[in-house]
Amino acid sequence: MSTTTTEAVRVERPTSRVETFLGRHAAMIPTFAAVIILIVLLAGAEAFLRGDFITARNLSALLLDNAYLLILAVGMTFVILTAGIDLSVGSVMAFTGILGAQLLVSGQPVWVAVPAMLAGGAAIGLLIGVLVQYFNVQPFIASLAGLFLARGLAFVVSLSSIRVEEPAVLWLQQTRFRLGDWYLTPTGIIALLTVAVAAFVLHLTRFGRTVYAIGGNEQSARLMGLDVARTKVAAYVISGFCGGLAGLALTAYSGAGYPRNGIGTELDAIAAVVIGGTLLTGGRGYVLGSLIGVLVFGTIKTIISFMGAEQSWMQIIVGALLLLFIVVQRVIVSRSERRR
C-alpha cells in the first residue's frame, strides 16, 4: 500500500520551472553551450594576452579567414539535419577551385568560370544524393566515393597550383568595406548571406520543415506525405553547391587553385556543425549554431597562432570539444526518448 502511494506521489510530482524550460528548449542547449564557450574563449584570450586579442582587426579577421569554412558548414548542416553526412566537401572545394582557376587561365570569362564551379559542386552533390536515396548506399560510403571522385578530378585538371589573376575574383578578397577599425570583405558577405538564406529556408519554408522531419523520423515523414526523396537529394545538392561556393571563396583568399586544398576540411566543417549544436542523429540544430561553431573553431586557431604553440594543440582542443558536445547531445536524446 505504501509502495503504491509512493509511486503515485512520484508520478504526480509537479515539474519544476527549470525542468519545463529545459524540456521545451532541449534542442537549443548545445547551441547555448557553444555561445558560452565562444565567450569564455574570447574573454580568456583577452585576459591571457593582456588586451591584445579582442580588437576590431582580429575579430574582423575571424570571418575573413574562415569564410570558406562557414560556407561549407552551412551545406553540411542541411545534410546532418537529415541524419546524413558528407565527407566530400573538402575535395569538392579543391576540385571547383582548381577548375575555376584553369578556366580563367585558359581565357574563359569569369561569368563562365564561376557558374561552372558552382555547377560542378552541385553535380557531385547530386550524385551522392542519388546514391543515398535511390541506391540505399550509406551516406558515409556514398560521400566517401564523392570525396575520391572530386579529388581525382582535381588532379586531372592540374597536378600543380594555378595562379589566379582575374581582378573580379581577387576583388572578392582584397576589397575591404570599413566601418572605423572594423572591416568586411565580399567573401565574408557571401558567407553571411549564405547563412541568412539557409536560416530562412530551414525555418520558414516547407522544404526546411521537411528536412527537420526527415532527420526526426524518416518513416513518419513519409507517412505524412512529405517528399522525402526529393528533399534528401536536394540536401546533398545544396552541400555540393556550397562546396563549389567555398571553392570560389578559397580561390579568392589564396589567389590560386590547388588540387591538394581542403584535405581534412570536411572534418573541420563537421566539427563546426556539431560544436554549433546540430545533432549527428539529425532532426535538431540551427544553421546559426553552425556559424557559432565556425567562430569557436576560428577563435581556437587564432589563439594558438597568437601563443606560437604547435598546431597539434588545435586538433587536441577541437577533439575535446567534440567529445563534450557529443556527450551533451546523447544526454539530450536520452532525456527526449524517456519523455516519449
Side-chain angles (χ1 to χ4, degrees):
M1 182 71 178
S2 60
T3 304
T4 305
T5 304
T6 303
E7 291 178 353
V9 171
R10 288 176 180 173
V11 172
E12 295 173 1
R13 182 179 64 85
T15 305
S16 68
R17 291 183 179 180
V18 174
E19 290 175 335
T20 302
F21 177 83
L22 293 177
R24 292 178 178 176
H25 302 86
M28 299 181 65
I29 292 175
T31 303
F32 285 146
V35 172
I36 292 171
I37 287 176
L38 177 61
I39 293 172
V40 169
L41 283 172
L42 292 173
E46 179 72 4
F48 184 79
L49 297 172
R50 300 177 182 178
D52 294 331
F53 188 81
I54 301 182
T55 63
R57 180 179 178 181
N58 287 338
L59 295 182
S60 297
L62 273 179
L63 186 59
L64 169 73
D65 296 335
N66 297 283
Y68 70 91
L69 181 59
L70 177 55
I71 295 170
L72 290 180
V74 169
M76 188 69 70
T77 304
F78 278 86
V79 173
I80 293 181
L81 283 173
T82 65
I85 202 77
D86 189 356
L87 299 178
S88 71
V89 293
S91 297
V92 169
M93 181 175 66
F95 164 58
T96 55
I98 196 71
L99 174 64
Q102 180 62 54
L103 289 173
L104 292 171
V105 168
S106 64
Q108 296 296 327
V110 68
W111 57 265
V112 171
V114 171
M117 296 169 71
L118 301 179
I124 294 177
L126 175 62
L127 174 62
I128 297 171
V130 169
L131 288 174
V132 171
Q133 178 59 36
Y134 295 105
F135 292 89
N136 294 319
V137 179
Q138 289 295 322
F140 180 89
I141 300 301
S143 60
L144 186 63
L147 180 154
F148 287 120
L149 173 63
R151 187 67 64 181
L153 289 173
F155 283 112
V156 167
V157 174
S158 176
L159 295 175
S160 59
S161 175
I162 299 178
R163 184 179 178 84
V164 174
E165 298 180 352
E166 171 60 45
V169 173
L170 298 179
W171 174 85
L172 294 174
Q173 186 66 20
Q174 295 175 352
T175 304
R176 301 286 190 274
F177 300 109
R178 296 188 176 276
L179 181 61
D181 292 332
W182 296 86
Y183 65 84
L184 194 61
T185 63
T187 53
I189 294 173
I190 291 172
L192 293 176
L193 284 176
T194 304
V195 172
V197 171
F200 173 83
V201 170
L202 284 173
H203 298 290
L204 296 174
T205 67
R206 179 182 176 85
F207 174 81
R209 290 190 291 271
T210 304
V211 168
Y212 279 99
I214 292 172
N217 190 313
E218 184 172 334
Q219 186 59 33
S220 296
R222 293 182 189 278
L223 294 175
M224 292 168 60
L226 300 177
D227 195 344
V228 172
R230 184 179 299 178
T231 303
K232 283 185 71 173
V233 173
Y236 285 94
V237 172
I238 290 171
S239 182
F241 179 87
C242 287
L245 189 58
L248 174 63
L250 183 60
T251 300
Y253 180 76
S254 61
Y258 185 50
R260 297 185 63 84
N261 274 340
I263 294 178
T265 307
E266 60 277 352
L267 303 181
D268 296 342
I270 294 170
V273 173
V274 173
I275 290 173
T278 300
L279 269 64
L280 285 171
T281 51
R284 292 183 180 180
Y286 305 93
V287 72
L288 293 178
S290 298
L291 168 61
I292 300 300
V294 170
L295 293 178
V296 168
F297 191 92
T299 300
I300 294 172
K301 185 166 59 176
T302 304
I303 291 173
I304 290 174
S305 176
F306 263 69
M307 295 174 61
E310 295 182 3
Q311 287 300 311
S312 58
W313 282 102
M314 178 71 186
Q315 281 74 30
I316 294 172
I317 296 172
V318 171
L321 284 176
L322 274 177
L323 288 174
L324 171 64
F325 275 80
I326 288 172
V327 170
V328 170
Q329 290 181 4
R330 287 309 307 162
V331 171
I332 292 172
V333 171
S334 298
R335 288 174 63 89
S336 298
E337 290 176 350
R338 283 199 298 268
R339 286 193 181 93
R340 291 174 185 174

